[in-house]
Amino acid sequence: ARCAACSGANFGADLRAEHHIQRLGTTHMEPVLRVTSASATPGTVRRGHGLHVQISTDLRRQAAPLSALRITLVGPALAGQRAAIRVLAPTLLPFRLTHVRGAHTLSARSSTTTDLDFTLGAKQLSHAALFSLVDTAVEAGDPVFLIELLCECDGTGTMPLAQ
């Protein structure tokens, strides 16, 4: 895809452009849900593992059924990480989300807003590994990046759910 705001630059090759990170994400579309607050805390599904994420919203812009929730990173989120992580991450992202509280509301044809609640890496991402990733990013200059939730919209394709 090409970005008019970048004077025709290849969007995929320029994810670091600040306007992509702060306004457009991966799809150049406004997210379906307007986020009012978001928080992340160490997960509790399995002791010592995971990242529990809570997202509150107050506006749903699309009344169509939404499904296939995924999460991805936009921008230099992996700055300073080991080469293996930087090479492997793009093949794993966007990562499919399961066990999302609030997903049932999204699957209905309505304009009802919903809050989302899920745990990333509940079984395999230890808190020590998670904190190490964060520490490495901070040491690499604490890069600005965007966490984007994606969804499928009633068979019409991928849309940003929340940023």
Side-chain angles (χ1 to χ4, degrees):
R2 297 213 175 258
C3 175
C6 290
S7 303
N10 184 331
F11 175 61
D14 189 18
L15 291 178
R16 294 173 189 243
E18 188 170 320
H19 67 272
H20 288 291
I21 293 170
Q22 294 181 349
R23 297 186 191 128
L24 302 174
T26 58
T27 61
H28 285 237
M29 298 168 63
E30 192 170 38
V32 174
L33 300 176
R34 183 171 62 193
V35 175
T36 57
S37 68
S39 65
T41 57
T44 59
V45 172
R46 177 177 173 210
R47 186 175 175 187
H49 288 77
L51 180 67
H52 183 245
V53 178
Q54 293 177 299
I55 300 171
S56 297
T57 68
D58 71 349
L59 174 68
R60 181 170 172 172
R61 296 178 179 95
Q62 182 69 258
L66 306 172
S67 62
L69 304 183
R70 298 177 315 282
I71 189 167
T72 194
L73 304 173
V74 180
L78 302 175
Q81 301 300 330
R82 295 186 321 255
I85 291 174
R86 289 192 318 270
V87 169
L88 186 59
T91 65
L92 299 174
L93 294 171
F95 185 76
R96 192 174 124 234
L97 294 175
T98 59
H99 308 294
V100 178
R101 231 175 278 148
H104 181 72
T105 303
L106 294 173
S107 67
R109 185 176 298 278
S110 84
S111 58
T112 303
T113 62
T114 187
D115 294 340
L116 303 173
D117 185 313
F118 55 91
T119 300
L120 293 171
K123 296 182 180 178
Q124 295 186 0
L125 179 61
S126 73
H127 291 161
L130 176 64
F131 297 144
S132 175
L133 289 169
V134 172
D135 288 344
T136 301
V138 170
E139 290 168 8
D142 202 11
V144 175
F145 64 93
L146 173 81
I147 298 172
E148 183 174 54
L149 300 183
L150 301 168
C151 64
E152 293 299 316
C153 179
D154 201 17
T156 61
T158 300
M159 296 184 70
L161 178 64
Q163 297 175 336

